[in-house]
Amino acid sequence: MTLTLTLPPKIEALLRQRAESTGQDITNVTLAVIAFGLSFDESDFFEALEGIQRGLDDLDRGQFSTLEEFVDRQNQKYGLSLEA
């Protein structure tokens, strides 16, 4: 089956970046992402999409933290001693 999708440039760029960073063909990465998304039940799927969109919106607004900051917060919150 052939299906043609028009993706927002941001999503296409993310797919291309993932394909390049993993040495995969963009078609294989896209199929894996779609299959992964379809593996969720309906409510989990839409909750995950909303969370991803919030994260992308935060990134666009420059509201993000480094991995080190995230690890520090998790260490403090849960009494862990992880390193980034």
Side-chain angles (χ1 to χ4, degrees):
M1 171 178 153
T2 300
L3 177 66
T4 302
L5 299 172
T6 302
L7 299 172
K10 190 183 329 185
I11 301 301
E12 182 181 350
L14 290 171
L15 285 169
R16 288 191 183 285
Q17 287 172 356
R18 179 56 55 97
E20 289 174 12
S21 71
T22 60
Q24 300 277 333
D25 178 78
I26 191 167
T27 301
N28 292 337
V29 171
T30 303
L31 290 172
V33 169
I34 291 170
F36 178 71
L38 292 173
S39 70
F40 289 97
D41 72 29
E42 192 171 306
S43 64
D44 289 343
F45 175 75
F46 288 106
E47 286 177 23
L49 284 181
E50 289 170 7
I52 292 166
Q53 187 60 57
R54 281 192 306 272
L56 291 172
D57 292 343
D58 287 347
L59 185 63
D60 285 345
R61 289 190 301 268
Q63 297 176 332
F64 58 91
S65 52
T66 66
L67 176 60
E68 289 80 11
E69 291 168 334
F70 172 78
V71 170
D72 287 344
R73 277 197 313 274
Q74 299 308 304
N75 284 341
Q76 290 174 8
K77 186 174 182 179
Y78 298 108
L80 302 172
S81 57
L82 302 172
E83 294 182 22

